[in-house]
Amino acid sequence: TITDIDAGLYQKASVGDRIWNDVDADGVQDAGEAGIPNVTVTLTLPDLSTINTTTDANGLYLFDNLVPGNYTVSIEQATLPLNYQQTSEKDGSLDGSVAVVLSSGIDVVDVDFGYYVKSSIGDLVWEDTDADGIQDSGEPGLPGVTVTLYDAGGNIAATTTTDANGNYVFPDLLVGTYTVGITTPSGMFISPYQAGANSALDSDVNVVTGLSADIAAQGGQYITNIDAGLYRMASVGDRIWNDVNGNGVQDAGEAGIPNAKVTLTYPDSSTASVMTDASGNYLFSDLIPGNYAVSIDPTTLPSNTQHTYEKDGTPDGSVAVVLTSGSDVADVDFGYYVKSSIGDFVWQDTNANG
């Protein structure tokens, strides 16, 4: 009896599945995470020859009609979007290549590859010259300011300093929630929080805490609107003097007028007053940049004074002043002089004795 005339039969096999954007970098295909299209996938056959395919609009790929055997599925990294990082593959190696043993009739449909793009957070720290919390044309960036990134637990994730133009960036961030903090340089203060309607031009750091609101970074986000405005305090003042010769110039020897009341009107229309010192000097300091007015109380001046000079050329005893960040406006002078008189009595000297 001849019993060794055999016939082996097999069924074709297939391998494939999906390449996807793992937005939260957890290695799991979550609902809503899209496939990555147009990625080249290479299949190395048992004889070491290769064939290629490209992922479709949903990130799917498939190699079918395959003879059972040992294969390798690999991803052409150059065809992935820029800056992608791998999060998942079937064998756990994260090298973009998976060995697959195909048996007769087997459809291996779980050779997935997950990728995500790291995010970044940054933008600008600038000198807010008018302290309005809005980036105006011409307001310069501030170099050398320390910026700190905190994770969701309040731990320091990274620290950097602003460049020569005031820009900063925290690159290569994993998915998560972050806050940005500013180390305020000595003598500087944080501008009003989120002023105006344009989020790209406002200041996003809380005046009290020095921190931004929570920032949710998803895969592939480039968050470039976390700005911080800083400003310096300003001052205004100078001298009220007795312009003896009435020429509107502070000549040598012309004394200041003491105890004159000077009032400063703030941008919010509130006021503060000081009295000139023994030399006629006055000063308002530690002022937030903005529009102010300096005025003189004429009732506190010597009697019979006549106005000879003020900075704006209008002798009304009031001068508008725009204070910018760090400015010391020290030329708001007021000149006055007292009119003189000559006279006495004309009489009939009846005995001519003078």
Side-chain angles (χ1 to χ4, degrees):
T1 302
I2 300 171
T3 60
D4 59 353
I5 308 303
D6 305 305
L9 302 176
Y10 67 88
Q11 294 177 304
K12 292 294 183 73
S14 67
V15 62
D17 202 8
R18 187 168 182 257
I19 302 175
W20 90 98
N21 183 2
D22 188 11
V23 172
D24 56 5
D26 65 352
V28 177
Q29 295 185 53
D30 300 309
E33 291 184 333
I36 304 175
N38 302 315
V39 176
T40 299
V41 185
T42 299
L43 183 68
T44 302
L45 281 62
D47 64 0
L48 301 183
S49 63
T50 60
I51 56 175
N52 296 318
T53 189
T54 302
T55 56
D56 66 14
N58 297 310
L60 299 170
Y61 75 94
L62 179 67
F63 297 99
D64 56 7
N65 294 316
L66 301 175
V67 175
N70 296 325
Y71 293 80
T72 301
V73 177
S74 57
I75 305 301
E76 296 297 326
Q77 302 294 318
T79 63
L80 289 165
L82 292 175
N83 301 317
Y84 266 73
Q85 305 288 323
Q86 191 168 358
T87 64
S88 173
E89 72 181 41
K90 180 180 173 70
D91 63 8
S93 64
L94 301 184
D95 61 359
S97 181
V98 173
V100 181
V101 177
L102 296 182
S103 301
S104 175
I106 295 299
D107 297 312
V108 179
V109 290
D110 61 353
V111 185
D112 308 299
F113 296 84
Y115 295 87
Y116 80 103
V117 181
K118 289 185 176 181
S119 297
S120 65
I121 294 173
D123 205 7
L124 178 71
V125 179
W126 88 97
E127 183 161 11
D128 188 12
T129 57
D130 56 4
D132 66 350
I134 297 172
Q135 296 175 48
D136 299 308
S137 176
E139 291 184 332
L142 287 170
V145 178
T146 299
V147 187
T148 303
L149 185 72
Y150 298 92
D151 64 19
N155 305 301
I156 295 176
T159 300
T160 189
T161 56
T162 56
D163 66 15
N165 297 312
N167 296 306
Y168 75 95
V169 65
F170 294 105
D172 298 329
L173 300 179
L174 299 175
V175 170
T177 300
Y178 299 90
T179 55
V180 170
I182 301 295
T183 300
T184 308
S186 177
M188 301 201 80
F189 300 84
I190 299 172
S191 296
Y193 178 68
Q194 293 188 342
N198 188 341
S199 63
L201 297 177
D202 64 5
S203 181
D204 300 291
V205 175
N206 185 281
V207 173
V208 177
T209 65
L211 298 172
S212 70
D214 287 346
I215 306 161
Q218 299 295 325
Q221 283 186 299
Y222 300 94
I223 301 169
T224 58
N225 62 350
I226 308 301
D227 308 296
L230 303 176
Y231 65 88
R232 298 175 175 87
M233 291 295 189
S235 67
V236 61
D238 205 7
R239 187 167 182 257
I240 302 174
W241 90 97
N242 183 3
D243 188 12
V244 174
N245 59 8
N247 68 350
V249 177
Q250 295 186 52
D251 299 310
E254 292 184 333
I257 300 175
N259 301 315
K261 182 179 180 181
V262 187
T263 297
L264 182 71
T265 302
Y266 287 77
D268 64 0
S269 297
S270 63
T271 60
S273 297
V274 297
M275 306 299 288
T276 55
D277 65 16
S279 299
N281 297 312
Y282 75 95
L283 178 67
F284 296 98
S285 59
D286 295 326
L287 302 175
I288 296 173
N291 297 324
Y292 292 80
V294 178
S295 56
I296 307 301
D297 182 352
T299 65
T300 62
L301 293 169
S303 58
N304 299 319
T305 54
Q306 182 75 27
H307 201 167
T308 64
Y309 174 82
E310 68 181 48
K311 180 181 172 70
D312 62 7
T314 60
D316 59 1
S318 180
V319 173
V321 181
V322 177
L323 297 181
T324 58
S325 177
S327 64
D328 296 308
V329 180
D331 62 352
V332 185
D333 308 299
F334 296 85
Y336 295 89
Y337 78 100
V338 180
K339 290 183 177 181
S340 299
S341 63
I342 299 174
D344 201 358
F345 178 64
V346 178
W347 85 99
Q348 184 175 358
D349 187 7
T350 55
N351 59 5
N353 66 354

